[in-house]
Amino acid sequence: MTAIPPARSIPASAQWGDARSGKLADNLSGFGRALRRAGVRVDAARMALAQQAVLLAGLQRQDFSAALEAVLVSGEQDRMVFRELFDAYFRNPDIAQKLLAQMLPSAESKAAPSRRRPRVSQALAPVRAARDAAAPRQEATLDFDAAMSASDLQRLRQADFNQLSASEYLLVERLARDIRLPLPHYAARRLRPGARGSRPHWPGAMQRAARTGGELLQLPLLQRRQQPLPLLVLVDISGSMERYARLLLAFLHAATAPRHTRWAGGAALRRDVFAFGTGLTDLTPAFRLADTDAMLQAASQAIADFAGGTRIGDSLAQLRQRHARRLVGRRTLVLLISDGLDTGAPEQLTQALGWLRRHCGRLLWLNPLLRFDGYAPTARGAAALHRQTHGMLAVHNLSCLQDLAASLASVLRQ
């Protein structure tokens, strides 16, 4: 192979050709689609900036990667996903259509076990499948994207999570992470400067007067600080909830992330999450991780009774004994996600639910069994939940998750 001069010694146009056609545009488009499959927000405007950035950056691998990262990544949680996907995507000349083949030495070696994030592995899955299918042919055409019609997307929005195929489940989980859950807020005791306050802000008034020669032209005011309601999430991880638990955990982690729930006053959401089956597992440390895939991995390692039985009363008793302080001043909004198929003593469940209702602001039951027309909570555990909770909401498909914020607000107003 003929050696190529250093990138900085020749014009960018001579290296790459026209950015609107040829290898550069094709491979950048394929890489952009792979980023979208991995959950990174990439639109047409960012792809246009990426083409301009790589023309200016040159052929050096580090400059090429840094230029793409600067224009395609806007969130810290996506930075490591981008870097892993970039390394995997442009390592193989077949995938990148030999865009960086001049810089990458070819060597046969035994592949090490994959340590990539699940988002990266899932994004590369269509690439691997296309590469393996086209391996016997000399000229392979890789299909990096799968088309989906509007009717297919609408069907997935209405489909029950328990009826999805493996590929549909992964897609729905990715779509669920884009749904936001704006929580109701309340006026806290602490004050902050604001335009609609009722009390004068005298330190601010003195500072303003000092800047205007002692004249007070406007009296600054103090208003109550707005804070989102503290959130306590209890997720059933029993066998009957297996298909719902992972998806709802991913949804709640992304929907209640601090970057989406911080109010103008700077107050962040207090969020405590527990999983329960035969016992109680604290998932709050896992939910502090910024990346949703990292959270799911940490949660799976912490949970010891996944897909087992359900004893809601015993789990709530452990919550009362060990974590009662997580219920903040009777303002806490408690979301109990379960199908109500409890195997414990109904008296213990009723007593535990009564204590939880008295020590929180609202206790809401998120029940996936509401997908059935004419559903009635006739089981002993479901009947106890129906009596003690303030409301019952459906969470069995994407459409229900999109309407969840409005449903919560409606129940809280009652």
Side-chain angles (χ1 to χ4, degrees), residues 149-170:
S149 64
S151 60
D152 292 334
L153 189 58
Q154 181 63 24
R155 180 183 60 83
L156 287 181
R157 287 198 180 102
Q158 301 297 332
D160 180 7
F161 298 148
N162 203 31
Q163 305 298 326
L164 298 173
S165 64
S167 58
E168 290 175 340
Y169 185 87
L170 293 176

Side-chain angles (χ1 to χ4, degrees), residues 64-380:
F64 181 74
S65 174
L68 289 181
E69 183 177 343
V71 298
L72 296 180
V73 178
S74 58
E76 183 64 29
Q77 70 278 4
D78 296 328
R79 192 171 303 280
M80 296 307 299
V81 173
F82 171 88
R83 293 176 183 175
E84 290 184 11
L85 186 57
F86 180 89
D87 292 339
Y89 190 90
F90 290 110
R91 180 180 294 118
N92 191 303
D94 290 334
I95 297 178
Q97 298 180 1
K98 299 183 180 181
L99 177 62
L100 301 179
Q102 300 91 336
M103 298 178 293
L104 304 179
S106 59
E108 296 293 334
S109 60
K110 185 176 181 180
S114 177
R115 299 178 61 86
R116 296 173 186 154
R117 285 170 168 76
R119 290 167 61 183
V120 178
S121 300
Q122 294 169 11
L124 290 175
V127 180
R128 296 195 200 95
R131 186 183 65 217
D132 295 341
R137 296 178 292 175
Q138 294 295 328
E139 295 182 359
T141 302
L142 302 183
D143 184 10
F144 291 104
D145 204 4
M148 175 171 291
S149 64
S151 60
D152 292 334
L153 189 58
Q154 181 63 24
R155 180 183 60 83
L156 287 181
R157 287 198 180 102
Q158 301 297 332
D160 180 7
F161 298 148
N162 203 31
Q163 305 298 326
L164 298 173
S165 64
S167 58
E168 290 175 340
Y169 185 87
L170 293 176
L171 177 59
V172 168
E173 180 186 325
R174 191 66 55 194
L175 293 174
R177 300 185 188 187
D178 293 332
I179 301 174
R180 298 292 167 251
L181 184 62
L183 295 173
H185 60 280
Y186 68 97
R189 292 182 179 179
R190 294 188 177 183
L191 304 176
R192 58 180 293 269
R196 300 181 180 180
S198 58
R199 295 175 55 182
H201 183 208
W202 293 117
M206 296 299 102
Q207 293 175 1
R208 292 190 180 189
R211 293 194 296 265
T212 57
E215 294 290 338
L216 185 59
L217 303 180
Q218 183 180 7
L219 181 63
L221 302 175
L222 291 174
Q223 66 181 19
R224 290 286 187 92
R225 193 178 190 181
Q226 297 296 314
Q227 286 185 296
L229 290 174
L231 182 64
L232 174 62
V233 181
L234 304 171
V235 183
D236 188 347
I237 54 166
S238 61
S240 59
M241 288 287 295
E242 181 178 359
R243 293 279 287 179
Y244 299 97
R246 174 187 168 88
L247 197 147
L248 290 173
L249 284 174
F251 158 69
L252 289 170
H253 179 268
T256 61
R259 62 183 181 276
H260 300 308
T261 56
R262 189 176 294 275
W263 293 87
L269 169 69
R270 174 163 180 168
R271 177 182 58 178
D272 296 289
V273 184
F274 292 87
F276 66 89
T278 56
L280 191 70
T281 304
D282 188 1
L283 299 184
T284 305
F287 262 66
R288 294 194 186 105
L289 300 175
D291 185 74
T292 301
D293 291 316
M295 180 278 298
L296 290 174
Q297 183 177 4
S300 64
Q301 294 175 354
I303 297 173
D305 57 343
F306 187 77
T310 311
R311 290 200 294 268
I312 305 177
D314 292 345
S315 302
L316 293 181
Q318 296 180 32
L319 177 70
R320 180 178 183 178
Q321 294 171 2
R322 305 174 186 175
H323 307 284
R325 292 181 180 271
R326 303 289 182 94
L327 299 171
V328 183
R330 294 193 179 182
R331 288 195 181 99
T332 306
L333 173 62
V334 180
L335 303 181
L336 196 153
I337 306 172
S338 176
D339 53 10
L341 302 180
D342 183 50
T343 59
E347 298 79 8
Q348 183 179 11
L349 175 59
T350 301
Q351 182 180 3
L353 287 172
W355 167 82
L356 184 59
R357 181 186 174 109
R358 292 191 302 271
H359 290 81
C360 71
R362 284 291 187 274
L363 174 58
L364 302 182
W365 179 18
L366 277 54
N367 185 3
L369 292 184
L370 287 179
R371 66 185 184 272
F372 297 116
D373 294 335
Y375 167 79
T378 56
R380 293 184 302 178

